[in-house]
Amino acid sequence: MSPANPLPDVDCIVVNRDGGEALFDLLRSLHAQGGIDLSLVVVDNGSQAKERERLAREAPSARVVAFSRNLGFAAAANEGIARTRAPFVLLVNNDAVLATDYVARLAARLVLDERLAAVQGLVLEQSGTRIDTAGIEWNDRGEAVPMLGGLDSAAAPDATFETAGVSATAALFRRDAFNDVAPHGQVFDDRFFAYYEDADLSLRLARAGWRFACDPGAVARHEGSRTGRRTPLKRALWTAQNRWRTLFGNFERRWIRQNLSRLLRADLAHARRLGARGLILPIAVWPRIPFLALRKPAGRNLLDSWPAADSAVARSPVAATSS
């Protein structure tokens, strides 16, 4: 903010690949945001030409950064972050729709509390009846799961509460926090391609002393991963590989060894859910674990316990057993 422009300055980054009508529903909800000065960047991961043409027609104020191939979410988000300068950065999925005060409420939280690296709102499933995510928490199998995920929307607290991390589904970040953990510009680890990149970033920010929150008064709706539903095995493999990469990148090796049996059980749960095809998951993922263990993690202050969320907010029974 500046004296000439008292509104919070926000750069919004949308990573898109053939989002279809859901993308344009999101763009309309972004155009309707009040109380902020918002600039929009769409990083396009090789969408069909007709979608890019429609973007030019229906969202002429958006800056489109187009690539001919799919970079994945992490690398594409980095491209958008590198091309923006506002003090606050909104990351939002291309199948989410935001209430008109969503971004302004989150920006107010960041202005009021300088400890916060990021804040998100209450993200509901598309029907609006159940919670998709209120942030990230960790279960005892070492999985990053959606806080309050699956609960009735009426179960959400009324007041803002702290979380162990934020979901990149629809979160507002402080650019200074990005610069703190990624001084050379690679905010997300682009080796992740998709899944767990926001959990890894949340852990790196927490290790640097930053905090996170959810403002349940800011409401969004989220359709959910189209790609993941079409390719469940690929999603499971990416999720398992990136979870181990996240654990070895942020936790003490001794702590991982002590909890190894529980950490392995998460992969077995994924494999069982996939049926016969799931046999490939431990075969493909577990041989890589020793190599991850040999890599020296970046930074200091490695963790030796699960990151804590607000103890007053009950863990979702769905999230606690999800796989």
Side-chain angles (χ1 to χ4, degrees):
M1 292 181 290
S2 68
N5 181 14
L7 297 179
D9 190 7
V10 176
D11 283 324
C12 175
I13 297 167
V14 178
V15 175
N16 179 61
R17 179 174 171 84
D18 294 322
E21 196 59 42
L23 169 66
F24 294 92
D25 288 341
L26 166 64
L27 298 183
R28 284 187 284 270
S29 77
L30 290 171
H31 182 72
Q33 294 297 304
I36 55 164
D37 184 3
L38 185 144
S39 300
L40 173 61
V41 175
V42 177
V43 183
D44 190 86
N45 271 340
S47 293
Q48 296 180 28
K50 62 181 181 181
E51 183 148 296
R52 295 185 185 182
E53 292 165 3
R54 186 179 175 188
L55 264 173
R57 291 196 311 271
E58 298 188 20
S61 63
R63 180 183 178 188
V64 179
V65 180
F67 293 93
S68 60
R69 61 186 178 89
N70 187 358
L71 303 182
F73 178 86
N78 285 342
E79 292 287 348
I81 292 167
R83 288 169 168 79
T84 56
R85 293 292 180 268
F88 299 148
V89 180
L90 177 70
L91 291 174
V92 58
N93 282 9
N94 65 351
D95 57 352
V97 174
L98 313 182
T100 56
D101 63 346
Y102 189 89
V103 185
R105 292 185 68 107
L106 301 190
R109 292 291 173 192
L110 292 184
V111 169
L112 289 171
D113 191 342
E114 294 185 352
R115 303 173 307 157
L116 294 176
V119 61
Q120 71 165 81
L122 187 68
V123 181
L124 305 177
E125 295 177 358
Q126 193 172 30
S127 66
T129 60
R130 294 193 175 277
I131 299 170
D132 180 42
T133 177
I136 291 173
E137 64 177 348
W138 291 82
N139 67 19
D140 60 4
R141 296 188 312 206
E143 296 171 287
V145 294
M147 197 169 187
L148 304 181
L151 292 183
D152 189 282
S153 58
D158 295 326
T160 298
F161 55 91
E162 289 201 8
T163 67
V166 292
S167 166
T169 302
L172 187 67
F173 291 83
R174 191 186 304 275
R175 190 178 297 274
D176 284 347
F178 283 166
N179 294 337
D180 191 20
V181 298
H184 303 297
Q186 190 177 12
V187 174
F188 291 102
D189 186 337
D190 58 16
R191 294 175 300 168
F192 281 47
F193 191 81
Y195 304 112
Y196 265 83
E197 67 286 313
D198 49 2
D200 173 70
L201 175 60
S202 292
L203 290 177
R204 287 189 282 121
L205 287 165
R207 287 166 52 201
W210 291 96
R211 310 284 281 274
F212 309 92
C214 174
D215 180 352
V219 178
R221 296 194 184 195
H222 180 222
E223 179 182 339
S225 174
R226 295 180 176 186
T227 301
R229 290 197 301 267
R230 289 196 302 262
T231 57
L233 180 58
K234 184 178 290 187
R235 176 181 181 176
L237 286 169
W238 280 337
T239 298
Q241 291 166 358
N242 291 343
R243 183 178 72 99
W244 285 105
R245 184 175 283 127
T246 297
L247 292 171
F248 278 107
N250 293 284
F251 286 85
E252 295 279 2
R253 296 294 186 270
R254 175 179 53 82
W255 178 90
I256 293 175
R257 288 195 300 270
Q258 291 171 346
N259 293 274
L260 187 59
S261 63
R262 287 190 294 173
L263 302 178
L264 292 170
R265 284 203 296 270
D267 293 335
L268 293 176
H270 278 276
R272 284 195 298 270
R273 184 162 295 184
L274 290 166
R277 294 179 301 168
L279 291 172
I280 196 174
L281 194 149
I283 293 172
V285 173
W286 287 358
R288 302 185 183 190
I289 292 175
F291 296 98
L292 290 172
L294 292 173
R295 291 183 178 179
K296 184 178 180 181
R300 300 178 180 178
N301 303 321
L302 293 178
L303 301 170
D304 59 4
S305 63
W306 307 117
D310 191 332
S311 60
V313 179
R315 173 177 287 185
S316 159
V318 173
T321 59
S322 69
S323 59

